[in-house]
Amino acid sequence: EVQLVESGGGLVQPGRSLRLSCAASGFTFDDYAMHWVRQAPGKGLEWVSGINWNSNNIDYADSVKGRFTISRDNPKNSLYLQMNSLRAEDTALYYCAKDRGEQLWLQGLDYWGQGALVTVSS
Amino acid sequence: QSVLTQPPSVSAAPGQKVTISCSGSSSNIGNNYVSWYHQLPGTAPKLLIYENNKRPSGIPDRFSGSKSGTSATLGITGLQTGDEADYYCGTWDSSLSAGVFGTGTKVTVL
């Protein structure tokens, strides 16, 4: 059974940092691209960042570029999102999601975690 | 400010059909695969359609997808109360080098 479990969310002050982790199981992790997608309270889905199977191709939404860094550790079946210089508008539920393909092109996100809540507030 | 536009809401009676449109451009829908997701209240999104018109195992054939030019459409037939959810389209935007989702559509079963 495929499982994606996010951790690391919480309340953080503006300008501070937070690191999200996503532990994957039930599939061959290094065969697939992975993504972070967020959803602000009462709002729609926003793609945040994606990383292909071997970390050679990484992209970010303009809203987080230069502040967030995605990475993966294939031997540990883990995905990460380092979030720096956090802003109030980064407040959201952050989902880890598995792509059907090995590249970034959103071929279909077939498994999602339950999300990690990040609240940026003073 | 999403680059993919969906109607805010659609509704129909049980057993009827609804369609949800997703309008984009040549840099996204026009040249990349479209996927569709639904999200029940308080839960994570779930994949309904991938590669424009393919259904993952376990998704009933009441759900269908199509694409023409720079627009895509999700169809739901035999509408059930359990289909009440928010629906999103998604694709890659080659100009932005970023994933993009639609604005979302709330389906209401009357």
Side-chain angles (χ1 to χ4, degrees):
Chain A
E1 178 195 5
V2 172
Q3 281 197 313
L4 298 171
V5 180
E6 300 93 340
S7 60
L11 174 63
V12 62
Q13 293 179 328
R16 303 299 291 266
S17 299
L18 210 57
R19 188 195 197 206
L20 301 183
S21 299
C22 172
S25 61
F27 65 100
T28 305
F29 184 70
D30 54 11
D31 276 352
Y32 299 97
M34 297 293 295
H35 303 262
W36 288 100
V37 177
R38 69 185 181 184
Q39 187 168 35
K43 302 297 185 183
L45 301 177
E46 179 187 14
W47 180 85
V48 173
S49 181
I51 184 168
N52 77 329
W53 69 280
N54 65 358
S55 305
N56 280 353
N57 195 2
I58 289 174
D59 275 307
Y60 300 94
D62 284 345
S63 57
V64 306
K65 202 170 290 184
R67 299 187 299 122
F68 289 12
T69 302
I70 191 173
S71 62
R72 64 190 296 163
D73 186 332
N74 285 347
K76 292 185 177 179
N77 290 342
S78 293
L79 176 72
Y80 306 100
L81 186 68
Q82 176 67 40
M83 303 183 293
N84 298 332
S85 303
L86 282 161
R87 306 167 179 167
E89 53 264 37
D90 296 319
T91 295
L93 188 61
Y94 284 73
Y95 292 106
C96 161
K98 169 190 170 293
D99 203 308
R100 285 184 50 86
E102 61 181 23
Q103 299 300 338
L104 285 190
W105 308 315
L106 242 68
Q107 293 178 243
L109 304 183
D110 55 357
Y111 291 94
W112 299 63
Q114 285 307 301
L117 183 62
V118 173
T119 303
V120 184
S121 174
S122 54
Chain B
Q1 60 264 37
S2 173
V3 299
L4 303 181
T5 302
Q6 298 178 230
S9 63
V10 297
S11 60
Q16 297 300 303
K17 174 181 179 178
V18 294
T19 60
I20 300 170
S21 60
C22 176
S23 178
S25 68
S26 59
S27 65
N28 42 67
I29 292 178
N31 284 284
N32 293 290
Y33 285 127
V34 177
S35 49
W36 288 92
Y37 307 84
H38 74 168
Q39 185 177 32
L40 300 171
T43 68
K46 180 177 181 180
L47 179 66
L48 292 175
I49 297 289
Y50 67 98
E51 292 182 7
N52 304 331
N53 54 18
K54 298 178 182 176
R55 281 177 287 107
S57 60
I59 300 300
D61 59 7
R62 300 188 300 107
F63 295 91
S64 64
S66 64
K67 187 179 97 167
S68 178
T70 59
S71 292
T73 302
L74 175 72
I76 311 173
T77 59
L79 204 60
Q80 301 174 1
T81 55
D83 296 330
E84 285 202 332
D86 294 321
Y87 290 75
Y88 297 92
C89 55
T91 187
W92 188 257
D93 191 299
S94 303
S95 294
L96 297 175
S97 286
V100 288
F101 287 100
T103 48
T105 299
K106 184 175 183 59
V107 169
T108 300
V109 181
L110 300 172

